Amino acid sequence: MSAVVAIGPVPVAQGESDGREPGALEIAAQTELESFGRGGTLAGGLVLALARRLDQAGPADTGSGFAALAKELRTSLTAALAGAEQEDDPVDQLRRQREQKQRRGHRGG
């Protein structure tokens, strides 16, 4: 006979709401994933599920369990972002355009 062991709340599918506010780690993970264009990927979903679980840690969670989840979050985030280039935000885009204009101006003068 086999047993099913639950390790925490089941993550909510993307686009659905479970009625709670996301925690600090989940928000930070989502921001990081989106800045690299990886927010909607399977690997990104795993990162968010781990971050959500860490945000929900409580007194019943052991320090070693928390550390193991944190290590897995770090590993999963690295894997999710592997090979991705960070997308520029509007400020970075404007800065790069200004720098290009300045370089052109110095060459022409």
Side-chain angles (χ1 to χ4, degrees):
M1 178 174 211
S2 63
V4 175
V5 178
I7 59 168
V10 176
V12 175
Q14 186 173 358
E16 294 181 12
S17 174
D18 62 359
R20 62 157 191 83
E21 292 294 319
L25 282 174
E26 186 178 354
I27 292 169
Q30 182 71 44
T31 301
E32 186 79 4
L33 289 166
E34 287 176 357
S35 73
F36 283 88
R38 299 291 173 97
T41 65
L42 177 62
L46 176 60
V47 167
L48 293 177
L50 289 165
R52 185 176 304 123
R53 178 65 185 92
L54 284 166
D55 279 335
Q56 296 171 347
D61 292 298
T62 64
S64 61
F66 189 88
L69 281 173
K71 182 177 180 182
E72 186 60 30
L73 173 62
R74 192 171 48 246
T75 301
S76 297
L77 183 60
T78 299
L81 300 181
E85 291 188 22
Q86 191 167 14
E87 296 177 353
D88 289 338
D89 64 19
V91 173
D92 289 335
Q93 291 173 355
L94 290 172
R95 184 178 298 123
R96 186 172 35 259
Q97 289 172 357
R98 184 187 71 217
E99 290 170 355
Q100 288 172 347
K101 285 181 182 180
Q102 288 174 342
R103 282 194 294 269
R104 280 183 265 169
H106 290 299
R107 284 188 287 186

